[in-house]
Structure formats: structure tokens, C-alpha cells
Amino acid sequence: MKTIILSSLFILLFTGCIQDSKQLSKEECEKGGYQHATEKKLNYRTGKYELRFICLNKIQ
């Protein structure tokens, strides 16, 4: 019982702390001070290319 409670507590704590900067939008990248790039990705369902924004390194 203790292990279930402790493990669920750790999972809840650490899932809120993880933020991947590559999943942000263009405006959020600029607001956070990151450089951004666009890349064409093929959507396999539709067969069309879509633009995807990727956050790169922070601007110094």
C-alpha cells in the first residue's frame, strides 16, 4: 500500500515538471527567448506536407 501511494506521488510530481521546449508554438518560442526553425513534415494520414515549428537553443 505504501509503495503504491509513494509511486503515484512521484509520478504526479515529476510529470508536471517536464516541459519539452521543442513542442512549443512559434509565439511561445519567441516569448521564451528561443530561436525557432520551420520544417516540413509529411502527414501520413492526409499525404500532405505540414509546417512544424521547432524551438532551438536559447538566444544569448
Side-chain angles (χ1 to χ4, degrees), residues 5-60:
I5 293 172
L6 286 175
S7 62
S8 63
L9 181 66
F10 281 121
I11 290 171
L12 289 174
L13 286 175
F14 289 114
T15 54
C17 297
I18 299 171
Q19 180 184 8
D20 188 15
S21 65
K22 293 181 185 278
Q23 298 296 324
L24 300 174
S25 68
K26 181 180 176 181
E27 291 82 19
E28 291 171 335
C29 285
E30 291 175 352
K31 188 176 180 182
Y34 289 97
Q35 293 176 340
H36 59 83
T38 58
E39 134 181 307
K40 280 181 145 180
K41 278 294 234 192
L42 178 64
N43 187 343
Y44 293 114
R45 284 192 232 162
T46 61
K48 296 179 182 177
Y49 284 97
E50 299 175 348
L51 286 178
R52 194 173 123 203
F53 294 98
I54 301 173
C55 292
L56 302 173
N57 300 332
K58 264 197 164 189
I59 300 172
Q60 295 178 352

